[in-house]
Amino acid sequence: RWSSVFGLFPHPLVMLFMLLYAAVTRWSSIRRNLAGLVVYAVSFLIVVFPLAQFSLTHQDAVMARTRAVNVFKEVDAQDSYEPLRSNIEESIRMMNVSGDANGRHNIPGEPMLDEITAALFVLGFAVSLWSYRDWRRGSLAVWYVAALIPGVLTITQENPSAIRGVGAITPIYLMVAIGLATIERSFALSRSGAQAFGVLVLLIAGAGTAINYHDFFDRQYGDKVVYDSFFPAFREVAELVADEGEQSKVFVSRDFAGEPVVSFLGRGKDYQGYTPATNIA
């Protein structure tokens, strides 16, 4: 049950953790901003109350999907924690080694981050761990790990999951920035070093842009697995509806009838669901 709750509501728990982290490592900051934090907490409770009330009174509806994909179903079935261990390993590897295999989310099996971003992320993660006394930096590593937990707690066949790990994007790029800031400090000891760092930043930005452009518009665009992952049959059926809908009566299999993509790409042309018992010629 608690794993399901964390899968649904990771971000408020991360926020609470960061506040506790700041309270332990830098209480003076909390004390100075106490009034604002109280306003924030009251506002949060007001906003979340309808969702919380619905969640408590309709637990089956809210938790149905989470319970269906919970990794502990596999743990119980196999009487082993191997599925959970596998998920942890896959989640650790997904950014820099082997990412989401779903072509709608990624180049199948490729790391989620490009080489330059991945290197800066590793540096920033190390700096975050080293700076554990500074809540603004030290908390980022825990934030990142917490953001991966929803993916870790779901079935192994859907891991690693870019969708369930989407909460990790913010701490990743904050740590990328920390990595850049760490490099900048080592260059800033002299004026020539600062100038060299400016050139380095331009090179990093240019190379990162080129790598991601190539990955997205060349590799991912031309990948057959990616193409098939977006269910091209729906587009092909929709195009047929758009081309033939005015002059002909178009029948569409029940697998496609009623799909929003068919109505949208079919440009509003009429079509009917095909039922063999009544529509056979």
Side-chain angles (χ1 to χ4, degrees):
R1 181 180 297 249
W2 282 109
S3 64
S4 301
V5 170
F6 197 96
L8 284 173
F9 304 111
H11 301 299
L13 296 179
V14 168
M15 188 68 181
L16 178 61
F17 162 78
M18 294 183 74
L19 288 172
L20 293 174
Y21 200 121
V24 171
T25 59
R26 194 157 181 178
W27 170 247
S28 59
S29 295
I30 297 294
R31 188 172 54 211
R32 284 197 306 270
N33 296 281
L34 191 58
L37 289 171
V38 170
V39 172
Y40 172 84
V42 172
S43 302
F44 173 79
L45 291 174
I46 292 172
V47 171
V48 81
F49 178 77
L51 175 61
Q53 184 183 40
F54 181 87
S55 299
L56 290 173
T57 55
H58 300 78
Q59 292 189 29
D60 289 340
V62 173
M63 307 298 288
R65 174 62 177 166
T66 305
R67 290 168 179 163
V69 298
N70 196 315
V71 70
F72 289 104
K73 294 178 64 176
E74 293 182 70
V75 169
D76 292 340
Q78 299 180 25
D79 194 24
S80 167
Y81 282 98
E82 180 56 34
L84 182 61
R85 286 194 291 268
S86 173
N87 279 355
I88 293 172
E89 180 181 340
E90 293 295 332
S91 296
I92 292 172
R93 290 159 45 91
M94 71 182 293
M95 300 301 169
N96 293 34
V97 180
S98 179
D100 197 329
N102 189 329
R104 296 196 303 275
H105 308 155
N106 186 37
I107 302 174
E110 291 288 312
M112 302 305 300
L113 301 178
D114 65 85
E115 292 85 345
I116 293 174
T117 305
L120 290 171
F121 164 61
V122 171
L123 176 59
F125 189 87
V127 172
S128 175
L129 293 177
W130 181 260
S131 307
Y132 66 94
R133 292 181 181 276
D134 183 346
W135 72 272
R136 292 167 299 180
R137 293 187 176 190
S139 61
L140 292 180
V142 180
W143 181 0
Y144 168 73
V145 171
L148 296 180
I149 290 178
V152 169
L153 297 179
T154 53
I155 54 179
T156 53
Q157 71 183 58
E158 295 185 7
N159 267 293
S161 172
I163 292 296
R164 295 192 176 98
V166 71
I169 291 176
T170 303
I172 283 174
Y173 281 96
L174 287 172
M175 284 187 280
V176 166
I178 287 177
L180 275 174
T182 302
I183 296 173
E184 189 272 338
R185 281 196 298 274
S186 65
F187 275 81
L189 300 176
S190 65
R191 184 174 180 179
S192 60
Q195 292 172 342
F197 176 74
V199 174
L200 177 63
V201 167
L202 291 176
L203 291 174
I204 288 174
T209 300
I211 290 171
N212 282 283
Y213 184 94
H214 171 66
D215 284 346
F216 188 79
F217 291 103
D218 294 330
R219 297 180 63 205
Q220 194 164 15
Y221 176 80
D223 192 290
K224 182 65 164 58
V225 175
V226 172
Y227 178 78
D228 291 338
S229 297
F230 281 91
F231 304 111
F234 285 92
R235 177 186 56 79
E236 293 165 3
V237 168
E239 289 177 349
L240 181 64
V241 170
D243 293 340
E244 304 291 340
E246 284 188 355
Q247 64 267 22
S248 305
K249 183 178 288 188
V250 179
F251 293 93
V252 174
S253 164
R254 285 176 294 178
D255 293 331
F256 302 97
E259 287 291 332
V261 66
V262 176
S263 300
F264 180 75
L265 295 181
R267 298 198 291 273
K269 302 294 176 58
D270 289 334
Y271 67 89
Q272 299 179 36
Y274 177 75
T275 305
T278 57
N279 300 132
I280 193 167

